[in-house]
């Protein structure tokens, strides 16, 4: 097993629970052989973050958080992290979640959204969840937006990730991906849009029966955490719509 942030090396036994210690941080590499195979299919650029406690978490409380995309420009602090490395997402999380010197509005607000109790730190939260960015191409400039073809192909990647991680719920940071689900044609689905907005955004609840999966996947899409955001309101919404996952995270 390699130390630090180096990812799983294909060819080693992937049946064991691999751990990569980043100082006092434990990152599970249990699924990295399967991530490698998706990467070889040109569907995945960066390996997802999988907290070391995710594998042992209750089957009804496995949360996969899905960001939208990585951004990079001269003013973006991510620019000093090598985005061509398959561990890029994991390095970004280490930099902004586990460092006392750097911060990221999306990650900071996400933590408040999931855990209302301020005494629960990000270092307690992230070992329990999995995370990856939906769009597997880096956006060069904060004003750049993913194109339709990128959203469509990303649903196919999502289906592969779900097949591997078997989450009980998937929380999307941002609602745009929902607009492309029907056209992506990855399985039967039902979309429920509540009648009331939260912070000027309609959340979406989706039940998605991915092809070859035994049971539907629960998906919740919320307003992007980097925008104007009330963590208290969204926490209440998530507590109502994915109670098992929230209860586990705050335990």
């Amino acid at each position: 097993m390699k130390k630090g942030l180096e990812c799983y090396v294909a060819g080693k036994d992937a049946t064991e629970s691999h751990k990569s210690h980043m100082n006092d941080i434990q990152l599970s590499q249990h699924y990295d052989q399967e991530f490698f195979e998706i990467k070889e299919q040109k569907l995945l650029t960066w390996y997802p973050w999988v907290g070391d406690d995710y594998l042992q978490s209750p089957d009804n409380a496995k949360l996969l958080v899905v960001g939208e995309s990585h951004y990079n420009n001269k003013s973006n602090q991510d620019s000093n992290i090598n985005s061509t490395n398959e561990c890029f997402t994991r390095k970004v999380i280490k930099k902004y979640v586990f460092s006392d010197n750097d911060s990221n509005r999306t990650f900071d607000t996400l933590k408040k959204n999931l855990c209302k109790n301020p005494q629960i730190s990000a270092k307690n939260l992230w070992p329990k969840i999995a995370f990856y960015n939906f769009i597997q191409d880096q956006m060069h400039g904060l004003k750049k937006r993913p194109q339709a073809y990128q959203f469509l192909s990303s649903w196919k990647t999502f289906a592969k990730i779900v097949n591997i991680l078997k989450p009980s719920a998937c929380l999307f940071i941002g609602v745009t991906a929902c607009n492309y689900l029907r056209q992506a044609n990855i399985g039967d689905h039902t979309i429920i849009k509540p009648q009331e907005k939260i912070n000027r955004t309609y959340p979406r609840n989706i039940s998605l029966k991915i092809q070859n999966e035994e049971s539907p996947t629960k998906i919740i899409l919320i307003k992007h955490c980097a925008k104007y955001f009330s963590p208290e309101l969204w926490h209440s919404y998530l507590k109502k719509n994915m109670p098992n996952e929230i209860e586990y995270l705050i335990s």
Side-chain angles (χ1 to χ4, degrees):
M1 180 185 67
K2 291 191 174 185
K3 297 290 185 180
L5 285 163
E6 293 176 341
C7 289
Y8 181 78
V9 179
K12 290 189 176 182
D13 184 4
T15 62
E16 299 179 2
S17 179
H18 297 282
K19 298 178 182 179
S20 177
H21 292 269
M22 299 180 291
N23 298 323
D24 61 339
I25 306 163
Q26 289 185 335
L27 165 70
S28 173
Q29 294 179 298
H30 176 82
Y31 304 97
D32 279 15
Q33 176 62 43
E34 293 170 279
F35 294 154
F36 172 79
E37 293 170 3
I38 302 176
K39 191 173 188 294
E40 288 293 285
Q41 299 170 24
K42 308 300 182 183
L43 292 174
L44 187 69
T45 304
W46 307 295
Y47 290 2
W49 162 276
V50 182
D52 191 52
D53 295 332
Y54 180 86
L55 183 62
Q56 291 78 30
S57 62
D59 289 342
N60 67 348
K62 293 184 182 296
L63 179 61
L64 170 62
V65 178
V66 183
E68 186 177 88
S69 54
H70 284 298
Y71 283 83
N72 192 8
N73 62 22
K74 293 181 179 179
S75 63
N76 191 337
Q77 293 174 320
D78 289 357
S79 60
N80 61 358
I81 304 177
N82 182 9
S83 61
T84 62
N85 187 291
E86 61 265 27
C87 286
F88 179 60
T89 295
R90 297 173 175 180
K91 292 182 178 182
V92 169
I93 291 173
K94 179 181 183 293
K95 177 179 176 65
Y96 293 116
V97 173
F98 293 96
S99 172
D100 295 329
N101 300 320
D102 297 290
S103 64
N104 176 283
R105 178 178 173 82
T106 298
F107 293 148
D108 292 345
T109 307
L110 173 65
K111 184 264 174 185
K112 296 176 184 177
N113 187 17
L114 294 173
C115 301
K116 191 175 181 180
N117 185 351
Q119 295 186 6
I120 298 178
S121 70
K123 295 178 182 179
N124 299 129
L125 170 68
W126 280 82
K128 295 182 176 181
I129 67 175
F131 174 94
Y132 87 106
N133 271 331
F134 191 69
I135 302 298
Q136 288 290 296
D137 300 309
Q138 193 171 27
M139 298 293 103
H140 295 285
L142 296 177
K143 294 184 179 181
K144 296 289 185 180
R145 294 290 299 148
Q147 301 298 306
Y149 77 90
Q150 293 172 307
F151 279 107
L152 287 171
S153 64
S154 294
W155 275 115
K156 293 179 174 60
T157 302
F158 173 78
K160 296 279 189 180
I161 297 293
V162 167
N163 182 259
I164 293 170
L165 295 179
K166 309 293 185 186
S168 56
C170 303
L171 175 63
F172 275 62
I173 302 175
V175 299
T176 306
C178 182
N179 301 334
Y180 300 90
L181 176 56
R182 188 181 307 277
Q183 189 177 350
N185 193 30
I186 61 170
D188 296 330
H189 64 276
T190 302
I191 301 176
I192 300 175
K193 184 169 72 172
Q195 295 182 348
E196 295 185 5
K197 293 181 178 181
I198 302 176
N199 296 148
R200 302 192 296 271
T201 298
Y202 288 111
R204 275 79 159 174
N205 290 9
I206 300 175
S207 177
L208 172 63
K209 179 64 169 65
I210 296 174
Q211 296 168 5
N212 301 322
E213 284 291 307
E214 294 183 0
S215 57
T217 299
K218 177 169 63 176
I219 303 173
I220 299 175
L221 300 94
I222 64 172
K223 185 172 185 174
H224 200 291
C225 299
K227 299 180 179 179
Y228 171 73
F229 201 94
S230 171
E232 294 80 10
L233 293 177
W234 286 103
H235 176 79
S236 297
Y237 181 82
L238 293 181
K239 190 175 182 180
K240 179 181 178 181
N241 287 276
M242 53 180 210
N244 294 331
E245 291 80 7
I246 294 297
E247 182 178 356
Y248 172 66
L249 293 178
I250 65 177
S251 63

